[in-house]
Amino acid sequence: MMMKIAVLPGDGIGEEVMKEALKVLKKVEAKFNLHFDFTHGLIGGAAWPQYKNHFPQETQDLVLDSDAILFGSVGGPVDAQSEPKWKDCEKNSILSIRKLLGLTVNLRPAPIYKELLDFCPLKTEITGTENFEILVIRELSGGIYFGEHSRPTVDTAKDVAEYDRKTIAHIAKFAFESAMKRSKKLTSVDKANVLETSRLWREVFEDTAKEYPEVKLENVLVDNMVQQLVKNPRQFDVIACPNLFGDIVSDLTSVLPGSLGMLGSASFGNKNIHLYEPSGGSAPDIAGKGIANPIAQILSASMMLRHSFHLVDAADAIENAVSEVMKNGLRTGDIYQKKEGLKLVGTVEMGDAICANISL
């Protein structure tokens, strides 16, 4: 079966790290006798010179004709945001592609490698000394971000949060299914002691729990949640959040691995065409220097294999290869420290090392 993948490197370090992800995918393709059809498209500032548009129709058509989207990053230098090439670039690119695909569920895994605990802001007495991962599942289409926003008077402002049962039931089912494939433990985050939307959220999750008797569901208020993530993150596995709370909680968990360069993500929609991208940005300050960490892009590719194409063995091979590289002491600058047994490497060398470990 030919798997059609739209490749959208975007801006900044996007092109560099995407090359390494594609290198890894081609290694997996050969090892497991797979068939990928990669088609490149322009988006963000990279599309502007040719199209004077951040998300041109040609790229939209490519996206809709694909089985999955492997996305890099978009955006330019902070001091150039007023230039036409960069003005509203992120909004016109990533928000537009989310709307086009109807993306409603976001996955943000935070893998904590024992070899990188020196970069975790928490003490090892809190994190422990072994690998673990927290998976944050965030609802993307509802809540206060998509409600009415207004300034009735110069001295008043209004933002409306709204959820419906169908929207919550969709992410609840996704979260329970994810928990079934992992530790069968699910934490649902809300503010049900104050907010009516949270009361509906909790009600739907508790109703859905009846369909998954093997999964242990715990409801946690969002203020307690952020405290517990700092005090004892290892107690959590799968965490499901409404849009606003998911934005906050996933930002908290993203610091635990020690670098955004280690974090892939996935967004799922109603057209069965899903988007995979690093959690970090375009990092224009280091673009072209060959020093960016490609692991987030590579792990995003692994998520694509796992979720869009159900290639569990191939996805495992990539993730195991990343773990081996961590054990072997290779480090890009964001996760490097002068310490015996560690070697500072660049973008290409990191990609080569991961490929080499897939071949074993």
Side-chain angles (χ1 to χ4, degrees), residues 52-91:
K52 297 298 182 285
N53 189 313
H54 292 125
F55 189 30
Q57 187 63 48
E58 186 174 329
T59 304
Q60 294 181 41
D61 293 341
L62 167 64
V63 164
L64 292 175
D65 190 45
S66 300
D67 298 315
I69 316 301
L70 193 57
F71 190 92
S73 52
V74 293
V78 174
D79 58 2
Q81 294 304 300
S82 61
E83 297 176 12
K85 179 179 180 178
W86 302 118
K87 183 176 173 58
D88 295 327
C89 177
E90 294 183 37
K91 181 178 75 172

Side-chain angles (χ1 to χ4, degrees), residues 119 258-262 291-294 331-337 344:
F119 290 90
S259 170
L260 286 174
M262 303 298 295
I291 61 175
N293 187 344
R331 304 283 188 269
T332 46
D334 56 317
I335 51 174
Y336 175 75
Q337 56 184 331
L344 180 63

Side-chain angles (χ1 to χ4, degrees), residues 36-315:
F36 298 134
D37 178 14
F38 300 110
T39 305
H40 285 68
L42 296 174
I43 196 165
W48 188 263
Q50 181 174 344
Y51 295 99
K52 297 298 182 285
N53 189 313
H54 292 125
F55 189 30
Q57 187 63 48
E58 186 174 329
T59 304
Q60 294 181 41
D61 293 341
L62 167 64
V63 164
L64 292 175
D65 190 45
S66 300
D67 298 315
I69 316 301
L70 193 57
F71 190 92
S73 52
V74 293
V78 174
D79 58 2
Q81 294 304 300
S82 61
E83 297 176 12
K85 179 179 180 178
W86 302 118
K87 183 176 173 58
D88 295 327
C89 177
E90 294 183 37
K91 181 178 75 172
N92 296 336
S93 304
I94 190 63
L95 294 186
S96 294
I97 200 171
R98 286 176 182 171
K99 182 178 180 180
L100 180 69
L101 296 177
L103 302 180
T104 59
V105 176
N106 177 243
L107 266 65
R108 292 275 295 270
I112 291 83
Y113 297 91
K114 62 183 179 181
E115 294 84 5
L116 299 181
L117 286 174
D118 285 346
F119 290 90
C120 178
L122 301 180
K123 298 180 292 185
T124 54
E125 290 90 333
I126 294 173
T127 62
T129 56
E130 296 300 320
N131 294 354
F132 71 102
E133 180 185 86
I134 298 171
L135 176 62
V136 178
I137 303 177
R138 172 187 171 190
E139 201 289 315
L140 281 180
S141 65
I144 200 165
Y145 289 165
F146 290 89
E148 177 191 348
H149 306 286
S150 63
R151 292 287 297 270
T153 73
V154 69
D155 295 320
T156 59
K158 180 170 68 173
D159 298 291
V160 177
E162 184 175 353
Y163 265 114
D164 60 68
R165 186 175 298 273
K166 182 179 178 181
T167 299
I168 302 171
H170 176 68
I171 190 172
K173 181 177 177 60
F174 192 101
F176 276 96
E177 291 287 345
S178 298
M180 283 291 293
K181 297 172 185 175
R182 294 166 62 102
S183 69
K184 298 183 179 178
K185 180 179 180 181
L186 173 62
T187 304
S188 174
V189 179
D190 60 42
K191 190 64 176 171
N193 60 333
V194 176
L195 301 176
E196 203 60 43
T197 49
S198 280
R199 293 184 184 117
L200 177 61
W201 178 277
R202 183 173 292 199
E203 178 183 317
V204 173
F205 267 77
E206 290 180 343
D207 285 345
T208 308
K210 298 171 186 175
E211 303 172 26
Y212 298 88
E214 296 177 64
V215 176
K216 180 183 178 182
L217 172 65
E218 180 182 19
N219 297 302
V220 179
L221 297 175
V222 64
D223 40 359
N224 185 36
M225 185 71 208
V226 293
Q227 292 176 345
Q228 293 301 319
L229 277 168
V230 174
K231 291 173 64 177
N232 182 16
R234 192 178 282 272
Q235 68 181 295
F236 299 107
D237 185 33
V238 179
I239 302 172
C241 306
N243 203 345
L244 174 61
F245 300 158
D247 194 4
I248 296 165
V249 169
S250 63
D251 277 357
L252 192 160
T253 58
S254 72
V255 304
L256 301 180
S259 170
L260 286 174
M262 303 298 295
L263 302 179
S265 75
S267 296
F268 300 90
N270 54 30
K271 288 184 169 61
N272 206 33
I273 305 171
H274 307 317
L275 177 78
Y276 302 88
E277 61 176 323
S279 293
S282 61
D285 55 319
I286 62 169
K289 297 181 179 179
I291 61 175
N293 187 344
I295 290 177
Q297 190 76 65
I298 291 168
L299 290 178
S300 297
S302 170
M303 294 180 74
M304 177 183 70
L305 300 184
R306 186 178 303 279
H307 294 286
S308 280
F309 303 124
H310 311 292
L311 299 170
V312 175
D313 289 344

